[in-house]
Amino acid sequence: MEETATEKDQVFFFEDYSIKDLNENKVGRKGLSLFQLKDMDVPVPEFFVISSDTFVDLCLPVLEEHRKKLLAKGRNPETEEVEAVLLKGEFSKKVEEEILSAYTRLSGFTDAWVSVRSSVVFPENEKVSFTGVFSTELNVRKFDQLKTAIKKVYASMFCDDVVAYASKKGIDLTDVKMAVVVQKMVQSEISGVVFTTDPITQDSTKLSIEAVYGLGDVISLGEITPDSYILNKKDLTVVEKYIAPQEWMKVRTMGSSSGKRSNAERIKISNNWSHRQKLSDKDMAEIAKIALIIENKSRQVQDLEWVLSGGKFWILQNKPLYDFTSYDVVTPLSADTTIKTLRELVKSFIEKYKGEKMLVDQAVSDATKMVQRSATNESAKKLEKLILSAKKESQEEVKETTQDDHIVSGIGASFGTVTGRITVVDSAVDKKFTKEDILLIRKFSTEMESMIIASGGVIMDTGGITSDTAILCREFAIPAIVGTNTASQVLKTGDWVKIDGNTGSVYKAEERKKKEDVHPVVEAYSKEELTGIVSEVEKKEESEKEKIPLRDSTLPPTATKVFSMTNLKPEKLFDYIGNSHGIVYVDMDKIMIEDGRHIMSYVEDKSFVDYSKKISEKILEYADLVQGDEVVLSLGSRKVKDFRTLTKGKIYEEKSLEDEIYGAAHYLNNQAMLKRVLRIIKRVRNVYKKRNISLGIHSPMNGDAMKEFKKQLSGENLRRTSTFKIYSILDNPTEIILADEIVSSKVDGLVLNMPRIVRQMQGFHYDDSTAKYDLTKNNVFKVLDNVLEVVNTKTENIIVVIENSKPLLKYCVQAGVYGVSVYAEDIVEARKVVSEEESKLILGK
């Protein structure tokens, strides 16, 4: 007899409940669809669903207990750390008994093999699919392993890829909850999916079937190219067949399950079977009939996952199939209001669910944000006008492709065409991708999702139109081609191609060259690569809670970054830093000199670890202020004689070095000291999780010295990545002449220390604090022109230290530099000047 769900129900067994007793808030989308299938008398493997309330009840106390450790000193925790914490969580005694009872009913006399899947609760927008975003645990057996699997599915909510997905879709992740479906596994002979419309052409008179031998997760992972069949819905006649050879299949094994995520292995398929059609025409008609029954009763186009076992079809799950060719699927929140880091998610999750008072506060906060966004509509319209103007100015003519340019074909999995540069990938890489990058994926993993979302297009050797990659690409309107078989053999990294997701074709293309007359600022606006500012309301709330610097929401986003100098102590810098785009630079030499003892004396006393912590905390006083924006640490600003004045400094400084030596020459001649300093930087990045920390070296002298410095960095496992940049800080006119050679050593950018350079050009010593130098003379601007002329094609990251010189600031914007570094007190005024100058550039004034 079916029961009626109550507020206290936590586990819902399939025999006990009907669809009319449940809703998405209780059992999630997947759970609700399974109960609906059961009520339709569709063959569904036995299952039960754990309520979304259990997700909150388990996660909230354990995250709150470990909050201090996870979020200490503004750090952004790793995904693995959060998962380890959640695995320590315990179900309440009542819930654990309910889960055990349901699993026992499902199992019968022996422990059943089950799958554990997420069932998303997000009624605000049913068209946001979350396909492939959360973890699925397959081949789970025994109760202890089941509990662990459920916690792992919960933990998959708290990972960087999910945060990136939600941020891209404009979703507040704290509005998303998670139920869990536990379903008895069926040993599948053939598996696949059915779309009750053609997912590519959206032809509602057709349905599409994909099929593989063995377990079906190889389809979603894109590991195997499946058979593909198109049928007429009216009479179930086969319109089109694509038979894909299959050399191996994945099957479940009966090995030990302790500690294993999956008990599955690959089995080679004999030559007699590998090239055969997976489903007979009769079987195609049968699964098609089941699919059409579901579509008819639900009155929605369906995406079904099925298996064939012992001659019987089973439906594992279904979901509505939406038309993602219309790209306005989601009306996103402002980028200023979305959660962008795992730290923000953990913190927001705890705050949202702590009690009724917090829920009320959240509602008030949301209403305030709506008012705030409404008030800034005029600024948004102005920005939109600038972006449109920039796009018109930067448009370029593109040569039409012909059949002679054709390289390879596959299955068009996501509509659209794009021209770009190939990057071949086998695994997730720490690199910034843009819409000019086309990923050629040889082996897919879920860690690649953020890469795919950032890219302009995707090509895969394997996979079908229902793979996770294909669905993700359709959801984000990214052209994609799957099942090419040979793309990775005929294409290599760096090749320029045009891909046509409509026809599944890849063509040769000419490298896109930037129009010579397109200004860097115009290009940045055309690509919408602007630095935004978080709303004042949100930052005020944050400031009250954690003393985070306020930001002025009236300042428009800009292409040119405005960094803060460290001319003030951190406690004074706090009042200004919120409106900057980071810090250039934090002087490590100055911090070490102020300590009073030579760094190597701590090594001698075996107290270097304590010293390292102390210096790291000094750096964190600055890094914590910028909330994830770039912070450049500098080495080499001080002379050898400054270090000799420290306690034991004369012992540890090379005697042959002259007192006036500084910069790279100092550190390369004292590599023992350099080694320890780099370990402090590693501590800040890895222990305190400040991944926004980059490094600059003063006075690099020449390209060879810069290469040697980078070699020392590599020896300490500090290599250039998208989050760790290496800058050369040019301090004298001689280095300006050698800028081309220095950049050729493959650094990420240059910092032009104009105050030091100009002092020497105007007859003063570079560190003469009393010198009255002038940053507005024409020869100063000429220095900038010379640097840009020789290095602009090799690096885009040129940062100019300008102090408070408005004429030099305007000239920098007109010249198209990456960023400027100004006195902290002048940040707001500098932001306004930059915005005005960029508007003039774009509008041609």
Side-chain angles (χ1 to χ4, degrees):
M1 180 177 174
E2 292 182 345
E3 301 175 6
T4 300
T6 69
E7 290 298 320
K8 296 183 179 180
D9 290 331
Q10 296 291 309
V11 178
F12 304 91
F13 198 75
F14 79 103
E15 290 180 329
D16 299 339
Y17 297 90
S18 170
I19 184 69
K20 67 179 184 295
D21 306 317
L22 302 168
N23 57 46
E24 182 178 328
N25 283 319
K26 287 188 175 116
V27 295
R29 295 177 183 174
K30 193 169 295 178
L32 197 64
S33 70
L34 286 173
F35 278 103
Q36 185 180 39
L37 293 176
K38 187 262 298 187
D39 286 357
M40 292 179 186
D41 291 326
V42 170
V44 179
E46 298 172 354
F47 67 93
F48 62 88
V49 183
I50 302 166
S51 165
S52 62
D53 291 336
T54 302
F55 166 68
V56 176
D57 292 343
L58 182 136
C59 295
L60 178 59
V62 71
L63 288 176
E64 194 166 10
E65 179 186 350
H66 294 84
R67 172 178 181 159
K68 188 173 181 180
K69 178 181 177 182
L70 290 172
L71 308 182
K73 294 186 178 294
R75 62 190 292 267
N76 189 41
E78 299 286 353
T79 299
E80 294 77 13
E81 290 181 90
V82 181
E83 180 178 294
V85 164
L86 291 175
L87 288 177
K88 296 176 183 177
E90 296 292 342
F91 295 103
S92 69
K93 184 177 179 181
K94 176 181 179 296
V95 169
E96 187 162 322
E97 288 175 352
E98 286 187 31
I99 296 173
L100 177 58
S101 173
Y103 181 60
T104 302
R105 289 176 67 183
L106 207 66
S107 299
F109 293 106
T110 59
D111 289 325
W113 294 90
V114 295
S115 63
V116 183
R117 292 184 168 94
S118 62
S119 182
V120 172
V121 177
F122 188 59
E124 286 83 352
N125 195 319
E126 61 185 8
K127 292 187 178 181
V128 179
S129 70
F130 295 96
T131 299
V133 173
F134 301 117
S135 173
T136 293
E137 302 291 318
L138 301 176
N139 305 308
V140 177
R141 194 182 187 204
K142 298 187 181 302
F143 184 56
D144 286 341
Q145 189 185 0
L146 173 60
K147 289 193 293 182
T148 299
I150 295 167
K151 294 173 191 176
K152 283 186 175 183
V153 173
Y154 287 163
S156 68
M157 171 76 81
F158 300 91
C159 76
D160 293 322
D161 284 337
V162 173
V163 171
Y165 175 92
S167 178
K168 189 79 175 180
K169 302 295 280 185
I171 297 167
D172 183 347
L173 262 180
T174 61
D175 291 336
V176 181
K177 290 169 65 178
M178 185 185 289
V180 168
V181 172
V182 179
Q183 189 171 34
K184 200 169 186 177
M185 292 198 70
V186 178
Q187 183 68 288
S188 54
E189 298 154 12
I190 302 172
S191 306
V193 293
V194 178
F195 283 175
T196 60
T197 190
D198 189 316
I200 303 301
T201 66
Q202 301 295 315
D203 185 347
S204 60
T205 67
K206 306 285 193 303
L207 64 78
S208 170
I209 303 173
E210 290 188 339
V212 294
Y213 292 127
L215 295 174
D217 62 331
V218 295
I219 297 179
S220 63
L221 293 173
E223 295 178 332
I224 289 177
T225 303
D227 276 9
S228 179
Y229 319 117
I230 303 294
L231 280 67
N232 272 320
K233 291 165 76 170
K234 184 176 181 180
D235 56 10
L236 301 185
T237 55
V238 179
V239 177
E240 185 180 322
K241 288 183 185 179
Y242 173 77
I243 313 302
Q246 185 174 339
E247 297 177 355
W248 57 271
M249 65 178 178
K250 189 186 288 188
V251 298
R252 191 173 70 246
T253 62
M254 298 297 288
S256 170
S257 64
S258 60
K260 300 280 182 96
R261 169 174 176 161
S262 173
N263 292 280
E265 64 178 351
R266 294 184 177 189
I267 301 295
K268 184 175 175 58
I269 299 173
S270 70
N271 291 333
N272 291 335
W273 284 90
S274 62
H275 287 67
R276 288 190 181 185
Q277 180 176 312
K278 311 297 185 302
L279 285 179
S280 67
D281 289 3
K282 179 182 177 182
D283 286 336
M284 284 185 221
E286 185 174 346
I287 188 61
K289 287 176 183 176
I290 295 173
L292 292 176
I293 289 171
I294 297 171
E295 181 186 51
N296 184 51
K297 291 188 176 182
S298 64
R299 297 181 182 179
Q300 286 181 300
V301 179
Q302 294 291 305
D303 169 6
L304 307 171
E305 186 179 323
W306 56 266
V307 298
L308 179 62
S309 178
K312 181 177 180 178
F313 281 102
W314 297 90
I315 303 299
L316 302 183
Q317 59 178 324
N318 74 306
K319 57 189 172 186
L321 180 64
Y322 296 106
D323 177 8
F324 291 116
T325 59
S326 174
Y327 296 153
D328 294 325
V329 173
V330 183
T331 303
L333 297 171
S334 162
D336 299 339
T337 64
T338 54
I339 290 170
K340 298 182 180 66
T341 66
L342 190 51
R343 169 187 170 80
E344 291 176 17
L345 174 57
V346 171
K347 198 172 82 166
S348 299
F349 180 88
I350 293 170
E351 291 170 354
K352 182 178 178 73
Y353 292 110
K354 277 180 79 170
E356 287 297 322
K357 183 179 182 300
M358 289 302 297
L359 290 175
V360 172
D361 290 346
Q362 181 72 27
V364 172
S365 172
D366 289 345
T368 308
K369 290 172 190 174
M370 288 179 67
V371 172
Q372 179 73 18
R373 289 199 294 273
S374 176
T376 57
N377 273 346
E378 288 304 314
S379 297
K381 288 177 182 177
K382 180 181 177 182
L383 179 61
E384 184 179 356
K385 179 181 177 182
L386 291 175
I387 290 172
L388 289 173
S389 298
K391 286 182 175 180
K392 288 178 182 177
E393 186 173 336
S394 62
Q395 280 177 349
E396 55 187 37
E397 291 184 9
V398 180
K399 176 192 167 188
E400 289 296 321
T401 54
T402 67
Q403 196 58 39
D404 292 338
D405 299 320
H406 184 266
I407 301 174
V408 69
S409 290
I411 303 168
S414 179
F415 275 168
T417 60
V418 66
T419 299
R421 179 181 49 246
I422 290 286
T423 299
V424 181
V425 291
D426 294 302
S427 58
V429 293
D430 188 10
K431 176 185 173 184
K432 181 180 179 181
F433 290 97
T434 71
K435 293 304 177 183
E436 280 196 347
D437 290 302
I438 295 176
L439 302 183
L440 201 170
I441 300 174
R442 287 197 287 220
K443 185 178 181 182
F444 173 76
S445 66
T446 54
E447 290 81 9
M448 293 181 179
E449 287 172 1
S450 58
M451 294 164 46
I452 292 170
I453 292 170
S455 71
V458 172
I459 304 172
M460 291 186 69
D461 280 346
T462 58
I465 59 175
T466 57
S467 64
D468 285 349
T469 305
I471 294 172
L472 189 68
C473 287
R474 287 197 292 275
E475 193 164 348
F476 284 94
I478 299 168
I481 300 172
V482 298
T484 62
N485 295 322
T486 60
S488 62
Q489 298 171 30
V490 297
L491 294 170
K492 63 183 184 299
T493 295
D495 287 346
W496 279 78
V497 299
K498 174 183 176 181
I499 71 172
D500 188 338
N502 308 328
T503 64
S505 299
V506 182
Y507 302 91
K508 286 186 296 185
E510 292 182 353
E511 179 178 352
R512 276 189 178 169
K513 294 182 179 177
K514 192 167 60 176
K515 288 173 84 175
E516 292 183 3
D517 59 344
V518 175
H519 192 280
V521 167
V522 177
E523 185 181 14
Y525 273 79
S526 70
K527 294 180 178 179
E528 300 184 45
E529 294 174 350
L530 307 176
T531 303
I533 294 297
V534 181
S535 76
E536 188 173 2
V537 172
E538 286 181 279
K539 283 301 170 185
K540 186 174 181 181
E541 294 169 354
E542 293 295 320
S543 179
E544 290 169 354
K545 296 170 190 170
E546 291 197 4
K547 298 298 181 185
I548 294 172
L550 286 172
R551 295 187 176 186
D552 185 348
S553 63
T554 64
L555 293 174
T558 59
T560 309
K561 292 181 180 288
V562 177
F563 297 98
S564 174
M565 297 171 64
T566 52
N567 58 305
L568 300 175
K569 294 287 186 183
E571 58 271 20
K572 295 289 185 182
L573 204 59
F574 179 92
D575 296 330
Y576 307 101
I577 197 73
N579 293 310
S580 76
H581 300 132
I583 297 175
V584 175
Y585 43 80
V586 175
D587 191 338
M588 282 197 68
D589 279 21
K590 180 182 177 185
I591 292 173
M592 291 188 289
I593 294 289
E594 289 174 347
D595 179 69
R597 287 184 64 188
H598 198 283
I599 181 174
M600 297 307 295
S601 70
Y602 289 97
V603 177
E604 178 188 13
D605 295 344
K606 297 184 178 179
S607 57
F608 175 72
V609 173
D610 291 335
Y611 174 79
S612 175
K613 291 179 181 177
K614 179 167 59 174
I615 299 300
S616 296
E617 287 170 1
K618 292 286 186 183
I619 295 170
L620 290 173
E621 289 179 9
Y622 293 98
D624 284 344
L625 294 175
V626 299
Q627 293 299 295
D629 289 330
E630 186 174 13
V631 175
V632 178
L633 303 182
S634 80
L635 295 182
S637 70
R638 299 307 174 95
K639 306 172 194 174
V640 169
K641 74 176 183 181
D642 296 321
F643 283 87
R644 284 184 175 144
T645 62
L646 301 175
T647 301
K648 295 193 176 183
K650 292 181 180 179
I651 298 173
Y652 291 110
E653 288 298 327
E654 176 62 43
K655 292 182 175 59
S656 62
L657 286 179
E658 296 180 5
D659 276 351
E660 296 298 312
I661 293 293
Y662 71 101
H666 179 203
Y667 279 95
L668 291 177
N669 283 284
N670 195 339
Q671 293 187 9
M673 181 171 79
L674 175 59
K675 186 176 182 180
R676 269 67 183 194
V677 172
L678 295 180
R679 288 180 182 177
I680 294 173
I681 295 171
K682 279 179 64 179
R683 169 180 285 275
V684 174
R685 283 181 56 83
N686 298 338
V687 176
Y688 295 100
K689 305 299 180 186
K690 293 299 178 184
R691 301 293 189 184
N692 55 324
I693 295 291
S694 294
L695 178 61
I697 179 70
H698 281 270
S699 193
M701 301 183 295
N702 54 53
D704 289 338
M706 200 63 225
K707 289 175 184 175
E708 180 60 28
F709 181 74
K710 286 175 59 187
K711 184 178 177 182
Q712 297 300 319
L713 291 178
S714 296
E716 291 299 317
N717 290 318
L718 280 169
R719 296 180 176 85
R720 294 166 63 209
T721 68
S722 61
T723 62
F724 181 64
K725 297 175 183 175
I726 301 172
Y727 291 91
S728 295
I729 303 176
L730 307 190
D731 285 320
N732 62 69
T734 304
E735 289 164 351
I736 297 297
I737 299 171
L738 297 173
D740 184 35
E741 180 186 332
I742 292 168
V743 171
S744 295
S745 64
K746 294 185 178 178
V747 295
D748 293 289
L750 299 176
V751 177
L752 304 187
N753 195 346
M754 295 304 274
R756 279 194 171 189
I757 293 169
V758 171
R759 281 191 189 103
Q760 294 168 80
M761 289 172 57
Q762 297 175 5
F764 303 102
H765 194 274
Y766 73 82
D767 65 350
D768 183 353
S769 59
T770 63
K772 295 184 178 180
Y773 52 93
D774 187 351
L775 290 173
T776 66
K777 290 187 177 294
N778 286 336
N779 61 349
V780 176
F781 301 155
K782 186 66 176 175
V783 167
L784 180 58
D785 289 339
N786 289 341
V787 172
L788 291 171
E789 184 178 346
V790 297
V791 306
N792 231 1
T793 58
K794 297 178 181 177
T795 179
E796 297 177 354
N797 293 347
I798 296 177
I799 301 171
V800 185
V801 180
I802 67 165
E803 294 182 336
N804 61 352
S805 174
K806 188 178 291 187
L808 182 54
L809 171 59
K810 291 181 177 181
Y811 197 84
C812 286
V813 177
Q814 294 289 337
V817 302
Y818 169 71
V820 293
S821 186
V822 305
Y823 286 145
E825 310 95 302
D826 297 297
I827 290 170
V828 170
E829 180 60 27
R831 287 283 307 278
K832 292 176 181 177
V833 171
V834 168
S835 178
E836 290 171 4
E837 292 302 308
E838 289 183 348
S839 296
K840 291 176 185 177
L841 276 169
I842 294 168
L843 300 176
K845 294 181 179 179

